[in-house]
Amino acid sequence: MGEPRELTKRHRRSLSSRLAAVAAVLCLTSATVALLPASSSAATGPGGETLAKGGHTVRISRTEYGVPHILAQDFDGLGYGYGYAFAQDNVCELADHVVTLRGERSRFFGADGQSGEGEGEVQGSNLASDTYYSGQLRAGTVRQLLARKAPLGPTAELRRMVEGYAAGYNRYLRDTGVDHLPDPTCKGKPWVRPITALDLWSVVYDVVRVTATVPLVPDIGDAKPPTAAGDSATTTGTGSGATTGITSGATTATASGVPSVKAAAPGFGSNGWALGRDATRTGNAMVLANPHLPWAVGYFRLYQVQLTIPGTLDVSGAGLYGTPLVEIGHNRTLAWTHTATDAEHASVYALKLAPGDPTSYVVDGRTVPMERRTVPVIVRGADGKLSTVHRTLYSSRFGAVLSSGWTTTTAYAIRDANTGNLRAMNTWLAMGKARNIGQLRAAQDTFQGVPWTYTLAADTSGRTYFTDSSAVPHLTDAQLAHCTLPNDEGPTALDGSTSACAWGSDPDALVSGLYGPSHQPKLTRTDYVANSNNGPQYVNPEAPIAGLPGVYDTDPHLDGRSQLGLRMIAERRDGTDGLGAPGFTEATLRASMLGNRVRSAETGRDDIVAMCRAHPSLTATDGTEVDVTRACTTLARWDTRADTTSRGIVLWSAFYNRLLDGGPPDTWRRVPFDPAQPLTTPRGFNGEDLRVQRALADAVQDFAAGDLPVDVELGAVQKWAGIPLPGCDVGCFDVVEAGPDSGTGTPTAGAFGSSFLMTVELTPDGPRAHTLLTYGESANPTSPHFSDQTRLFSRKQWVTERFTQAEIAAAPGLEVTTLRR
């Protein structure tokens, strides 16, 4: 029962990428910009020089591998420097995302192009994407959120920072010129234009809803009543185009085609550890960050940066593209990371439609008409001419109506717990300022903006902290039992015909419909807290978290990666992992992270070797007798690791995935799941089970059909830009999924897995950290920072972080850009 969750996540990941949106690297020694607003104190640059009092200068100091360290006197300047630095590396990536958020993909790329939204099972058309985002713009959704005062709306500091970010990005674009951008992906393209603060807040709004609404944008944008033949519109030509009428038809799926929220969501994952004073050899707290995200999809990529305003903010780490802050990182006394929660962050509601009217639904016996919003979308035709089509969006009291499953009797709507959430940026800024766990907790309780992640943190006191402070629908267990509709073919949906199934609320929740801090799982320890996307129950098995509402995931089953992470911690504390004396050091923390252990093999490889030695010829699914002798020898010699030079992991992955594809593992496990032993069961393989034997035979057949030796090295078939990659997706702690062509082509062939790695020790003398951004700082394939850190990742090497101004100044090859206003 550990693998079904792993199987679901594996199948819902999509490695297809958006238009290869990439970037430029520009190394300047100085630039002149307009004056920044005044500030009351001066700052010292990396060389000991003083920045002009009044905040007139911003310095971008790039250390090894192009990591930018932004030093400014105020938030305007900090945003300015960050936006400029990001544009140097990724101007095209953000420009492409802005085209999406402005609802203009059809205008520039045609209606039938792929939008890149819906990264779960299927990507949507540009027309569907533009319909949704144009509707959001015309409704003024983000503007209305910005009109709120903090804590619901952004703080004044954050507003200034976002304005500065837009200005800095635009400054780079103006200085360089669209026709002279280093990246051919967007060089000279008409869709590369200056951005606004509203564009950036729209990026933020997409980020917070990326586990629910955003993957369903194609479904929302294409929704229409089942009786409609299409959305007809009078179209006014642009330029030399004539006036025409066009019809856009959107197919309506059956109930069995309705995507569940979790199935539609991208396949996020992560490992996160916070180690307290009782788990480390030095008595200093440490944090391991290891988010797993798509590598080629811009709004899932992380950018490494340090942001410094002396006396106000000094935080180092990584943030998602286009967001103005560090979201995983550390300051001098506090470090934190995030892992994707297994809690619910949205609900699908089944609407009972009024007889004879598929655009009205019934709640508590009363008929309620759906809300309609008609939006114009400009479309580029095959002849290059522009025309306008008018499309209609439908919504209900439960949220946007989906195309899939809309029949004459039933429709489905999605309610996202992160609707209206711009509070996330307030939360992360306050976390970056926090000096200890108490202040971090206060930041999260005050702004309640963490969208869809757990938080694991540690501070210089040696304490650790875990919480799920994310936006979770207030649904009681009684509601879930009563309101969840039976539907073997469709999604898990709640009954939308009764208000008794609507979300409740907590008195301490900032936003109605969500659980407040008093109900959120929390744990403080001096040994450790750890999570690998399992539920909160076993973040520390010595102190299980119990009594939570079911929407927080109270399933006691742990998948193989979660079990492996807890086992690695236990063995390091005991000194039984081969890494030396008991207790963590920062060096052994790094070694543990990149040890490339494979839980499924550690607990089951010997079972399979025994099986194939006893049965050297196995029957494949198609009835063919397959000689597995060489495969058996390969597995027997394998070290059960997923290093780039490992021989056996590729065969094991093929076998294991074949086995998982065959159905639940309950009957083919040697030791089934035991609720009394959740950390060690299920495990092993029943070698006499025909499904196990067929899986190995089928895998060997696959290798033969692909003319691939069964003992091929992992690095020969798993690469990024031609660089061998370690890791796997079959119980590896270091999760990586890639093919031989990942990181190449246009658009860039995708990969998934370990993205930003960080180990940090919080010493009395300041943080000591190592980092690794596995795909580098730039998405531009022509940039030296596109894959420079990928080579380090391939060799299990890390970047020593430079945190203090003195450390930054000492960096070999330091490049400094000075911006003046």
Side-chain angles (χ1 to χ4, degrees), residues 546-605:
L548 297 173
V551 288
Y552 280 100
D553 182 12
T554 56
D555 186 350
H557 301 92
L558 298 176
D559 65 12
R561 179 164 55 89
S562 301
Q563 291 180 345
L564 178 58
L566 293 172
R567 183 176 181 178
M568 288 163 63
I569 292 173
E571 291 177 354
R572 179 81 301 267
R573 295 185 70 192
D574 293 339
T576 57
D577 59 357
L579 295 178
F584 280 94
T585 63
E586 205 234 328
T588 58
L589 182 56
R590 296 196 306 273
S592 297
M593 172 63 239
L594 294 184
N596 293 321
R597 293 175 61 173
V598 186
R599 172 67 173 173
S600 60
E602 290 182 358
T603 61
R605 187 275 307 267

Side-chain angles (χ1 to χ4, degrees), residues 125-148:
S125 70
N126 285 338
L127 186 59
S129 174
D130 291 341
T131 300
Y132 174 82
Y133 286 108
S134 296
Q136 181 173 279
L137 282 172
R138 291 180 71 84
T141 302
V142 178
R143 290 184 184 276
Q144 292 172 23
L145 298 177
L146 289 171
R148 298 177 176 180

Side-chain angles (χ1 to χ4, degrees), residues 563-774:
Q563 291 180 345
L564 178 58
L566 293 172
R567 183 176 181 178
M568 288 163 63
I569 292 173
E571 291 177 354
R572 179 81 301 267
R573 295 185 70 192
D574 293 339
T576 57
D577 59 357
L579 295 178
F584 280 94
T585 63
E586 205 234 328
T588 58
L589 182 56
R590 296 196 306 273
S592 297
M593 172 63 239
L594 294 184
N596 293 321
R597 293 175 61 173
V598 186
R599 172 67 173 173
S600 60
E602 290 182 358
T603 61
R605 187 275 307 267
D606 291 348
D607 293 335
I608 300 306
V609 170
M611 175 197 74
C612 58
R613 283 175 172 169
H615 305 282
S617 179
L618 297 173
T619 305
T621 300
D622 64 4
T624 303
E625 289 296 313
V626 178
D627 183 351
V628 297
T629 304
R630 187 176 177 188
C632 200
T633 300
T634 296
L635 293 177
R637 292 175 176 174
W638 176 38
D639 61 1
T640 71
R641 302 277 174 152
D643 294 327
T644 57
T645 57
S646 292
R647 295 181 181 271
I649 177 59
V650 182
L651 175 60
W652 182 263
S653 296
F655 154 72
Y656 197 68
N657 283 324
R658 276 281 193 173
L659 190 55
L660 288 178
D661 288 341
D666 293 346
T667 58
W668 50 255
R669 279 299 192 186
R670 175 169 49 82
V671 180
F673 175 72
D674 181 352
Q677 301 180 61
L679 305 183
T680 58
T681 62
R683 65 179 182 272
F685 300 92
N686 177 6
E688 297 305 313
D689 190 291
L690 292 180
R691 287 173 297 178
V692 176
Q693 296 180 7
R694 280 198 300 267
L696 182 58
D698 290 346
V700 173
Q701 268 192 329
D702 292 340
F703 275 70
D707 196 24
L708 197 67
V710 291
D711 63 348
V712 64
E713 286 188 351
L714 176 61
V717 298
Q718 182 165 271
K719 301 179 181 181
W720 178 260
I723 301 166
L725 297 179
C728 73
D729 70 334
V730 290
C732 277
F733 189 74
D734 179 16
V735 172
V736 174
E737 297 178 67
D741 299 322
S742 294
T744 65
T746 303
T748 304
F752 176 91
S754 292
S755 52
F756 174 66
L757 307 182
M758 178 186 74
T759 62
V760 57
E761 179 179 5
L762 299 169
T763 80
D765 298 323
R768 299 290 179 263
H770 288 78
T771 63
L772 193 56
L773 189 62
T774 56

Side-chain angles (χ1 to χ4, degrees), residues 464-484:
T464 67
Y465 177 63
F466 166 86
T467 186
D468 185 351
S469 64
S470 65
V472 176
H474 193 293
L475 289 166
T476 66
D477 292 353
Q479 280 181 298
L480 292 175
H482 175 72
C483 297
T484 303

